Amino acid sequence: MEQWGRWGMPVAASEQAPWIGNLWNGSWIASMVIGVFVWGLMFWAMFRYRRKSNTEVPKQNRYNLPMEILYTLVPFLIIGVLFFFTVQSQDHVLAKVNDRPVHTVNVIGQKWSWSFNYMEDKNPAVNAVVHDTGTVERLPDLYLPVNEPVRFNLTSADVIHSFWVPEFYFKLDVIPGHPNSFDVTPNREGTFLGKCAELCGTYHSAMLFNVHVVSVDAYNAHLKELQAKGQTGELKPPAWVNTVPSAPANEEHEG
């Protein structure tokens, strides 16, 4: 029953999620109200004006000006209301967190996995920039501290990807040559599945990653483990994105 109340959305896990959740719920409710009203008019017209035996065909009008104005203005009104609440939700979700310290994770999307750079050189518990990267065979792990804001800087090493954590109710495109950024504050501990939401090539379905929202101490401990493994320094995408096919051609070509 709780799932029906969210209209199929997962349980939210970020402070920004309710803005998208409320927009989602409001859109469904508005759609159902409009749908029931339109269906009611259709069935009412079908039964009220159904043709009866030995009845002359009613007078046919070429147009009804008040009716045409009505069904022209009402859709614009509906679109305007949805547009207003969409922009309002978008502004709150994309707003940068300025009043508290922010953890920064520089994300690289590449065919076909993810790299995460934890920019924690100013964090006294870590004092280093550490990274983790995945492959098609091994899903990378993204660790985030609960109840602390995180800034994601998104870049691509090749084609357009899309960074999506369903429990955050948010996704953002990862575009080559066009860095994107957003802030999020995870507020529920747990392990969630992140994925690429943009069809990016042959192994698009393998672009998954595990999101671990943990305590601050567990977050720092994980970064210290990466540091102990020698996974220090920032991984960066190439200056010129890779547009060469990632799989060799089946036939050789002479130069």
Side-chain angles (χ1 to χ4, degrees):
M1 193 65 184
E2 184 181 357
Q3 182 78 359
W4 281 99
R6 298 192 303 272
W7 301 94
M9 295 283 274
V11 179
S14 75
E15 288 185 2
Q16 291 78 6
W19 286 99
I20 298 299
N22 292 337
L23 178 65
W24 176 258
N25 291 338
S27 298
W28 270 105
I29 293 171
S31 298
M32 292 184 66
V33 170
I34 294 169
V36 169
F37 177 71
V38 172
W39 294 331
L41 286 178
M42 291 171 56
F43 286 111
W44 176 78
M46 284 191 298
F47 285 98
R48 174 66 178 81
Y49 298 106
R50 67 187 184 276
R51 186 172 182 177
K52 301 177 182 179
S53 58
N54 301 323
T55 302
E56 296 183 359
V57 176
K59 180 181 179 181
Q60 303 296 304
N61 295 324
R62 294 182 59 186
Y63 61 88
N64 185 309
L65 185 58
M67 184 64 69
E68 292 190 14
I69 293 176
L70 178 65
Y71 64 61
T72 300
L73 292 180
V74 168
F76 278 103
L77 177 62
I78 296 171
I79 293 171
V81 172
L82 291 175
F83 179 79
F84 171 80
F85 286 107
T86 298
V87 171
Q88 185 183 59
S89 299
Q90 175 181 285
D91 290 345
H92 281 86
V93 170
L94 293 178
K96 293 293 190 292
V97 177
N98 296 317
D99 58 341
R100 287 182 288 173
V102 177
H103 299 276
T104 300
V105 180
N106 292 346
V107 179
I108 302 173
Q110 70 266 347
K111 297 185 291 187
W112 277 279
S113 193
W114 302 89
S115 296
F116 303 117
N117 296 286
Y118 300 90
M119 314 303 289
E120 296 288 352
D121 50 319
K122 296 182 180 180
N123 181 351
V126 182
N127 287 318
V129 174
V130 298
H131 64 259
D132 190 17
T133 189
T135 65
V136 173
E137 293 79 17
R138 186 189 77 83
L139 300 186
D141 292 295
L142 173 63
Y143 275 74
L144 302 174
V146 69
N147 295 325
E148 295 202 353
V150 179
R151 176 161 297 168
F152 289 101
N153 297 319
L154 311 177
T155 56
S156 172
D158 35 57
V159 298
I160 297 178
H161 303 283
S162 185
F163 184 84
W164 182 29
V165 181
E167 280 76 9
F168 292 170
Y169 292 12
F170 185 82
K171 59 184 176 182
L172 191 62
D173 282 348
V174 186
I175 303 173
H178 183 82
N180 273 334
S181 176
F182 72 97
D183 291 0
V184 67
T185 304
N187 61 1
R188 182 166 66 89
E189 293 189 23
T191 300
F192 316 113
L193 185 65
K195 57 189 71 179
C196 175
E198 182 79 25
L199 182 58
C200 56
T202 307
Y203 297 104
H204 159 72
S205 60
M207 284 198 66
L208 306 173
F209 57 96
N210 295 310
V211 183
H212 305 271
V213 179
V214 297
S215 66
V216 176
D217 290 340
Y219 170 77
N220 291 331
H222 174 71
L223 299 192
K224 295 295 286 186
E225 291 178 4
L226 296 180
Q227 187 178 15
K229 293 178 182 178
Q231 295 175 222
T232 58
E234 181 184 0
L235 300 176
K236 295 184 178 181
W240 300 94
V241 297
N242 172 29
T243 56
V244 179
S246 56
N250 293 327
E251 58 183 26
E252 296 181 358
H253 298 275
E254 296 182 0

